Amino acid sequence: MRDIMGMMGKVKEMQAKMEQMQAEIAELSAEGKAGGGLVTVVMSGKGELQSLKIDPSLFKEDDVEILEDLIVAAHKDAKDKAEALAAEKTKALTAGLPIPPGFKLPF
């Protein structure tokens, strides 16, 4: 019985740490760039777009498709960086737990 109570205490402790980590991840921001910095995207740790900067030299009618592609590429770059930051924080919390590789905790 003592082992069950100890395990329940550890579960509650882990839950509190997880909630704190989720709050920290939500406050992170990641910057993604494309086109050599012509397009810059900043995203939160939750994947919300916070800002978008476009170099004025890209505002030409015949370059619309290029601009669209650069925005998508910058967004992907920022998303990948935000996910890497979140994975790094999660790794520290889940160290020693038998979690399968590639498993994403719900955020």
Side-chain angles (χ1 to χ4, degrees), residues 17-71:
K17 286 181 181 179
M18 182 68 78
E19 289 172 3
Q20 179 184 1
M21 182 191 61
Q22 287 175 338
E24 289 175 11
I25 289 172
E27 293 195 17
L28 292 174
S29 66
E31 181 178 88
K33 295 185 179 193
L38 294 174
V39 175
T40 302
V41 169
V42 177
M43 293 180 61
S44 73
K46 286 186 157 187
E48 297 167 348
L49 185 65
Q50 294 177 324
S51 72
L52 170 67
K53 291 186 172 98
I54 302 170
D55 188 281
S57 68
L58 292 173
F59 291 108
K60 298 178 185 171
E61 288 184 34
D62 56 338
D63 289 342
V64 172
E65 288 181 27
I66 293 171
L67 178 58
E68 291 169 346
D69 290 343
L70 289 174
I71 291 170

Side-chain angles (χ1 to χ4, degrees), residues 12-13 21 30 53 73 87 91 97 107:
K12 285 187 180 190
E13 181 182 326
M21 182 191 61
K53 291 186 172 98
K91 186 177 181 181
L97 293 177
F107 291 110

Side-chain angles (χ1 to χ4, degrees), residues 89-103:
K89 285 201 167 280
T90 305
K91 186 177 181 181
L93 178 67
T94 60
L97 293 177
I99 296 176
F103 180 78

